[in-house]
Amino acid sequence: RPSSGPYLVVIRSHFNADAITALQVGWGMMPQRSLSLSPNLLRAAVISAPVTMLGDPPRRVDEVLNIKLKITLQHIEKLADEFGWAPDGGDDGPFELIKTKWIPRLDAITFDADLNDNAS
């Protein structure tokens, strides 16, 4: 389509679900006006294997990822309510604003209490 941007696929591989941060999860979930409508709608998928993580107690990877996704999405929604669209370098302002508004808040999110609650 004439209004569509270039097709882009980003693959992120993580070997340890416990080491994934909210910033890593939330980076692709920041609402950007230029990626909010078809044909440029941003889409994401999570694929995980193996099912069980090593450690004590053993946990399911999908449960750990779902907790991190849920918490990060809740924070993203609050940030969107507070700041509006995440700047994408277009009409919403320079990309530099992501560094001052979005990244510090995402980087401050921790999952420890929620993951520990789920382990018991």
Side-chain angles (χ1 to χ4, degrees):
R1 288 188 189 176
S3 64
S4 65
Y7 191 81
L8 175 67
V9 175
V10 176
I11 298 174
R12 293 194 177 121
S13 178
H14 300 276
F15 294 100
N16 181 352
D18 282 327
I20 299 171
T21 67
L23 181 57
Q24 291 169 323
V25 173
W27 186 258
M29 294 171 32
M30 289 184 277
Q32 295 179 319
R33 189 183 315 269
S34 64
L35 301 176
S36 66
L37 298 171
S38 184
N40 299 321
L41 180 63
L42 178 67
R43 295 168 179 92
V46 176
I47 302 166
S48 65
V51 172
T52 304
M53 293 176 49
L54 299 176
D56 189 29
R59 295 168 293 149
R60 291 178 48 113
V61 173
D62 60 323
E63 290 174 352
V64 171
L65 292 174
N66 284 339
I67 288 169
K68 290 185 175 200
L69 284 166
K70 180 181 175 185
I71 292 167
T72 303
L73 184 56
Q74 289 169 344
H75 284 273
I76 292 277
E77 289 173 343
K78 289 177 187 173
L79 289 170
D81 286 343
E82 185 176 343
F83 300 131
W85 295 104
D88 59 6
D91 294 337
D92 297 313
F95 182 76
E96 189 69 25
L97 294 176
I98 287 180
K99 291 181 182 178
T100 59
K101 290 184 176 182
W102 290 80
I103 290 176
R105 298 278 284 281
L106 288 172
D107 211 22
I109 299 169
T110 61
F111 303 114
D112 296 337
D114 298 280
L115 292 171
N116 291 335
D117 288 345
N118 192 48
S120 53

